[in-house]
């Protein structure tokens, strides 16, 4: 999506402090953390903001990515 900030970060059009990356997901530190080390995990493909409106495989892969980053 053209104006999506997360798509721009995934495409490296906007710099980020990436802490983990795979072919399909990435994780980076937020610029405005409410706690130290607050990390944002995103899919590299564009999806709507509400995760539970997505297909099960999208939700499952996102949860797998979050588990990897959390460890």
């Amino acid at each position: 999506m053209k104006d999506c900030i997360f798509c721009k970060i995934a495409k490296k059009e906007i710099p980020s402090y990436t802490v983990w990356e795979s072919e399909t997901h990435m994780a980076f530190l937020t610029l405005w953390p409410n706690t130290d080390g607050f990390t944002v995990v995103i899919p590299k493909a564009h999806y709507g903001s509400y995760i539970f409106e997505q297909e099960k495989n999208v939700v499952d892969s996102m949860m797998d990515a979050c588990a990897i980053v959390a460890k």
Side-chain angles (χ1 to χ4, degrees):
M1 185 172 208
K2 190 170 143 182
D3 294 325
C4 175
I5 190 168
F6 297 114
C7 289
K8 290 178 180 183
I9 291 169
K11 292 177 186 174
K12 310 281 192 222
E13 295 172 1
I14 295 176
S16 67
Y17 187 89
T18 303
V19 296
W20 174 83
E21 187 170 6
S22 73
E23 187 176 310
T24 58
H25 294 80
M26 69 184 299
F28 54 91
L29 298 178
T30 182
L31 294 176
W32 303 281
N34 60 3
T35 56
D36 289 341
F38 190 100
T39 304
V40 179
V41 181
I42 62 168
K44 290 184 177 179
H46 180 82
Y47 295 99
S49 296
Y50 188 60
I51 193 166
F52 299 110
E53 289 180 344
Q54 310 310 317
E55 298 289 327
K56 184 178 182 334
N57 65 317
V58 174
V59 176
D60 291 347
S61 66
M62 186 68 173
M63 292 300 105
D64 291 343
C66 289
I68 291 168
V69 173
K71 290 179 184 176

